[in-house]
Amino acid sequence: MTKTFLLLSLFTSGLAFSQDDLLKDIDTIQTDNTEISPPAFKALQIVTGQSTKLAAKKEWYFVVAHRFGDVSKGFKDFFGLDDASTKLGAIYGLTDAVSLSLSRETNLKTFEGAIKYRLVQQNAKFPVDIVGYNVVAVNTDLSKDNYPGLRFSDRISYLSQALISRRFNENFSLQLTPSYVHKNLYEPTVEDKDQFFTGLGGRYKISKRISVNAEYFVNYDSHSFYKNPLSIGMDIETGGHVFQLLFSNSQLNSDIGYLTNAAGKWEKGQIFFGFNLYRVF
């Protein structure tokens, strides 16, 4: 499986709310005599990972992402409801092709600033959407009590992704996501300073207003303490609203945390229930 994902990578080098017009995608958009395909995904995220959809020009999004605790702990922790991680953020569409975001997650008290930008749009002459995504994260949970020589630069980590998607038809879309993470401070017995991933995600519409989404990232880190993040979810469209419900083996909502700190094992029931909520202004 890992070799397959690596080959693909080399060959290619909420609950969510939105306004009614976001759900009124037409089959094709005519621009300069070139048919532009509508977005491959309805939401800005496939599950937790980013999709190739961007905020429109001058749109503001308020973001709430919530992940409850490990459901395998059972009634003692009320199936994870006693232990939750929440991310709050904002996204602004600078243009139709560029958006900026800022968020903060309670788990590890992490701030993330990101830029998302469209490089190529799927059309009659080009088979895929290509979007770039870059993140700078600051972990404010690190303490000088544990790291006496801690500097501000040690708190910073970086993420770069190429989001490559194709809308095959009205019901089915697929995305490949080569990714790179760099951490200034890391534990060498647990993880590598530089980590490479290949992600594969998709959306399949099973009815007029419901789709099933899934994504899986392979981490080529030489250590095995953390797991490859695997998540499944459901988008439910109800007249202007998109509800994103999900299960994942990674509790963290932040982009870098989700990829590098997945600790749950699906085969042991160590999964986390959650949702994404987007409100557009």
Side-chain angles (χ1 to χ4, degrees):
M1 176 68 75
T2 298
K3 292 182 179 179
T4 301
F5 274 89
L6 181 58
L7 258 169
L8 285 171
S9 179
L10 293 173
F11 271 108
T12 58
S13 15
L15 181 31
F17 288 93
S18 61
Q19 293 176 338
D20 288 351
D21 58 351
L22 295 181
L23 299 177
K24 295 178 181 177
D25 291 325
I26 57 175
D27 289 336
T28 55
I29 303 171
Q30 194 76 17
T31 305
D32 298 330
N33 297 321
T34 301
E35 288 185 347
I36 301 298
S37 297
F41 298 91
K42 289 287 188 180
L44 300 178
Q45 294 171 269
I46 301 176
V47 183
T48 297
Q50 295 291 315
S51 75
T52 50
K53 183 177 175 64
L54 282 86
K57 183 178 180 179
K58 295 185 178 180
E59 279 186 343
W60 277 100
Y61 282 82
F62 175 65
V63 182
V64 178
H66 201 72
R67 304 292 182 269
F68 295 101
D70 182 355
V71 300
S72 70
K73 293 182 179 180
F75 195 77
K76 178 182 177 182
D77 292 329
F78 208 61
F79 299 95
L81 296 182
D82 290 346
D83 179 22
S85 179
T86 302
K87 182 177 79 172
L88 301 177
I91 300 172
Y92 178 67
L94 196 62
T95 70
D96 286 335
V98 179
S99 61
L100 305 174
S101 64
L102 180 65
S103 65
R104 196 265 191 184
E105 181 178 14
T106 56
N107 200 325
L108 301 182
K109 298 178 174 61
T110 300
F111 289 87
E112 285 190 336
I115 180 171
K116 193 175 185 179
Y117 45 95
R118 180 181 295 112
L119 300 173
V120 183
Q121 192 166 8
Q122 182 179 339
N123 56 58
K125 296 182 179 179
F126 199 80
V128 296
D129 280 339
I130 302 178
V131 171
Y133 187 65
N134 298 97
V135 177
V136 177
V138 180
N139 183 340
T140 63
D141 194 43
L142 295 173
S143 170
K144 287 192 175 182
D145 293 337
N146 298 324
Y147 302 94
L150 185 70
R151 300 168 297 175
F152 178 77
S153 60
D154 295 326
R155 301 181 183 273
I156 299 176
S157 54
Y158 306 89
L159 167 67
S160 294
Q161 291 183 310
L163 315 176
I164 307 166
S165 72
R166 176 170 174 79
R167 177 184 166 113
F168 289 90
N169 52 51
E170 183 181 353
N171 296 326
F172 179 60
S173 298
L174 198 63
Q175 179 175 302
L176 186 66
T177 309
S179 308
Y180 164 70
V181 170
H182 171 85
K183 295 186 176 183
N184 286 345
L185 181 65
Y186 68 104
E187 175 51 61
T189 61
V190 173
E191 61 182 349
D192 290 338
K193 183 175 186 177
D194 297 292
Q195 300 179 40
F196 297 88
F197 303 79
T198 298
L200 186 64
R203 169 182 182 267
Y204 187 79
K205 195 170 183 179
I206 59 176
S207 72
K208 184 177 180 180
R209 297 192 178 277
I210 298 176
S211 70
V212 176
N213 301 350
E215 66 188 17
Y216 178 67
F217 284 84
V218 173
N219 188 348
Y220 303 113
D221 195 318
S222 60
H223 303 87
S224 59
F225 180 82
Y226 291 110
K227 312 305 176 186
N228 292 329
L230 170 62
S231 305
I232 59 174
M234 177 178 290
D235 290 357
I236 306 173
E237 302 171 20
T238 56
H241 302 83
V242 179
F243 299 85
Q244 280 193 306
L245 307 175
L246 61 95
F247 290 93
S248 176
N249 67 333
S250 181
Q251 187 183 24
L252 275 71
N253 297 288
S254 61
D255 291 294
I256 294 175
Y258 170 67
L259 291 174
T260 63
N261 291 82
K265 296 180 180 180
W266 274 86
E267 66 274 17
K268 293 187 176 181
Q270 297 170 349
I271 55 178
F272 307 91
F273 171 69
F275 62 82
N276 300 323
L277 182 155
Y278 284 86
R279 181 68 173 97
V280 65
F281 299 93

